Amino acid sequence: MTTTPLTYRTAEEPDMSESTSPLAAPLVEATGLTKRYGSIAALDGFDVSLGPGQVVGLLGENGCGKTTLLKILAGVLSGYEGEVRIGGHEPGPRSKALVSFLSDTSFLPDAARVSYCLELYRDFFADFQVEKARDLIGFFGLSETSRLKEMSKGMREKVQISLAMSRDARVFLLDEPISGVDPAARQLILDGILRTLSEDSLLLISTHLVHDLEPILDAVVMMRHGRVQLQGDADDLRGTHAASLDQIFRETYR
């Protein structure tokens, strides 16, 4: 399977005069978003509007369209119908300058040391903050001299999260960052994700492990068959349903 490059360093700096104020408009908007693979609609008239300053859980069963949505928002997947805006921009160089995307598939070379990955990101992304990444690497108890091929899945996930969360982005898109990681490591990974997240950023994190993410979520978008099944503020949903988000999720997908 060939993966699309996440984004690229561009000589053109984003025109921040055209990007939205944290209090003025959503950072992520999609209207009537539809993406088909042959006769199958991965996204089917999907609508969402997400503002800054929150952690949003993108929840749903495997195959419901979560990854497709994140790739479109990240600007690495095209050929869709409908409208998408990131900070007021259509997916392209300006939107990519605002977005940091952690794919569910690593593109880092197995033989690389962590130190090489830091240099790779510094060369590739104009907004990469290497000292922030080193802080997260240390927080996770990792060594910059270690090679990825010598690491466990959880350790490699920590390296990738350290890199993705160290860009000076407005929108962070994380695709299943704790999937396949042992329960003991999940909380540490979530603590690391939040460690450097700025107050005016939007973090959209996809998962089916709702129980683990619930404590950090401000809002949720539950997906099914490429559409929004349920969405809203986390506290409002808990109050309305008199149940935890995990319980609401289980009931929704029974």
Side-chain angles (χ1 to χ4, degrees):
M1 177 177 177
T2 303
T3 56
T4 307
L6 301 188
T7 182
Y8 49 87
R9 185 183 181 111
T10 174
E12 178 187 8
E13 294 295 329
D15 183 357
M16 298 309 293
S17 65
E18 295 183 19
S19 54
T20 56
S21 164
L23 299 178
L27 275 175
V28 167
E29 293 180 284
T31 305
L33 183 56
T34 299
K35 173 64 179 178
R36 298 184 182 277
Y37 297 100
S39 61
I40 299 174
L43 295 172
D44 188 12
F46 185 88
D47 297 317
V48 75
S49 179
L50 302 173
Q54 59 180 338
V55 178
V56 181
L58 184 63
L59 314 179
E61 306 152 310
N62 291 335
C64 71
K66 301 190 301 295
T67 294
T68 296
L69 174 64
L70 293 182
K71 286 182 176 180
I72 290 174
L73 296 179
V76 301
L77 184 62
S78 58
Y80 57 84
E81 301 171 16
E83 294 187 0
V84 178
R85 294 289 186 276
I86 308 294
H89 303 297
E90 293 183 1
R94 287 185 174 179
S95 74
K96 288 181 179 181
L98 303 175
V99 173
S100 181
F101 176 45
L102 175 62
S103 171
D104 60 346
T105 303
S106 173
F107 69 95
L108 299 172
D110 285 342
R113 297 184 188 275
V114 173
S115 56
Y116 173 82
C117 297
L118 293 172
E119 293 302 320
L120 181 66
Y121 257 66
R122 180 157 58 181
D123 290 343
F124 206 61
F125 299 105
D127 62 353
F128 182 66
Q129 299 173 308
V130 67
E131 292 306 318
K132 182 183 289 187
R134 284 180 171 144
D135 173 73
L136 276 173
I137 292 293
F139 175 77
F140 287 136
L142 303 174
S143 169
E144 292 185 31
T145 61
S146 298
R147 295 186 186 275
L148 297 182
K149 65 181 180 181
E150 300 168 349
M151 295 182 171
S152 66
K153 179 178 176 59
M155 294 169 70
R156 291 183 62 141
E157 196 68 43
K158 291 171 184 174
V159 172
Q160 293 179 89
I161 287 170
S162 298
L163 297 171
M165 296 304 300
S166 296
R167 288 187 54 200
D168 187 20
R170 295 292 312 283
V171 179
F172 293 88
L173 307 174
L174 308 185
D175 194 1
E176 299 281 1
I178 60 174
S179 177
V181 178
D182 65 88
R186 291 173 188 166
Q187 187 57 54
L188 181 64
I189 287 177
L190 293 176
D191 289 343
I193 289 171
L194 298 179
R195 183 176 175 86
T196 57
L197 187 67
S198 63
E199 293 182 357
D200 64 345
S201 296
L202 169 66
L203 171 60
L204 182 59
I205 179 169
S206 77
T207 189
H208 59 274
L209 301 173
V210 185
H211 175 76
D212 294 279
L213 257 69
E214 179 157 0
I216 74 169
L217 296 180
D218 300 305
V220 297
V221 177
M222 297 188 187
M223 296 182 63
R224 185 170 240 183
H225 306 312
R227 299 181 178 181
V228 174
Q229 185 80 1
L230 181 69
Q231 66 177 315
D233 177 85
D235 288 337
D236 289 346
L237 289 174
R238 281 188 285 254
T240 299
H241 294 266
S244 67
L245 294 179
D246 187 45
Q247 291 170 324
I248 296 169
F249 178 81
R250 293 174 185 274
E251 183 66 26
T252 300
Y253 294 96
R254 287 182 61 180

